[in-house]
Amino acid sequence: QRYMEFTGSSYEGSRVNDRLEGKGTFTFADGSKYVGDMLDGQFHGHGTLFFPNGSKFEADWLHGKAVSTLPAGGELTFKDGLVFVEGDWTYCDEDDRRFYSEVVHGIRPAGRSQIVDADVPPAIPAGAYDCGDGYFEPATGRVMAYDGKAEIRTPDATEVEWIYKRCRVGK
């Protein structure tokens, strides 16, 4: 319990000898959650990691490691329902640059092109860069949630360079 208070995480569920064991929900400080089986304080059995951006990773776990028979060790599903399939990834590659919603619903007419994988692009402040999971503020060097209420991360120099080169800028 002490460790969880220090890291900002929490756990609700079964315990054996005060260890996280059985079914439970482990919530990380960033809002990510693991819901599933635990053994001796580790993910063990079947469980799903849910991420703040709406994606999830479902797997079978063995002492904290994903061990599913799938190539990635489990199944990663993005917020929009797109499932990552390693080795068979045809979404937004060099041969087909459509967004997943365009694959599912078709491409819009000329002049109404999508610039993000959403019907309406999220609003971002002037001078900020849309990173896909939030916006980058050059003045603070942080990526913020679209609502501006939470910091998502502090990107390293390589990501900042990528953001400046490839992301749309708020006007």
Side-chain angles (χ1 to χ4, degrees):
Q1 186 66 22
R2 216 174 184 178
Y3 172 74
M4 285 190 274
E5 290 170 2
F6 178 73
T7 63
S9 57
S10 63
Y11 176 75
E12 290 182 25
S14 303
R15 292 177 186 261
V16 173
N17 296 326
D18 206 32
R19 303 282 297 172
L20 316 183
E21 200 157 309
K23 301 258 184 225
T25 300
F26 187 96
T27 305
F28 295 86
D30 71 350
S32 298
K33 287 185 180 184
Y34 170 82
V35 178
D37 301 320
M38 304 283 286
L39 178 68
D40 197 26
Q42 297 180 328
F43 304 165
H44 189 85
H46 190 78
T48 304
L49 278 167
F50 295 92
F51 300 98
N53 66 7
S55 62
K56 66 179 181 176
F57 182 74
E58 186 172 357
D60 291 322
W61 303 83
L62 182 66
H63 302 291
K65 293 185 180 178
V67 294
S68 297
T69 57
L70 297 168
E75 184 174 271
L76 177 64
T77 305
F78 296 94
K79 178 181 180 178
D80 60 6
L82 175 66
V83 177
F84 175 73
V85 180
E86 194 169 343
D88 188 28
W89 185 252
T90 58
Y91 165 68
C92 205
D93 64 13
E94 64 275 356
D95 296 323
D96 186 353
R97 302 300 298 166
R98 294 177 295 165
F99 289 110
Y100 181 63
S101 59
E102 292 175 312
V103 172
V104 173
H105 304 292
I107 297 176
R108 294 180 182 175
R112 292 187 46 221
S113 300
Q114 286 183 241
I115 59 172
V116 297
D117 194 26
D119 287 337
V120 177
I124 58 172
Y129 291 77
D130 186 354
C131 301
D133 61 342
Y135 61 86
F136 174 71
E137 294 180 323
T140 64
R142 301 180 304 172
V143 174
M144 302 297 293
Y146 285 117
D147 64 8
K149 295 180 182 175
E151 179 180 342
I152 295 174
R153 69 180 174 284
T154 301
D156 63 17
T158 303
E159 184 180 4
V160 169
E161 183 180 338
W162 186 92
I163 289 168
Y164 284 137
K165 285 181 181 177
R166 293 178 176 85
C167 296
R168 78 178 169 105
V169 182
K171 300 190 188 285

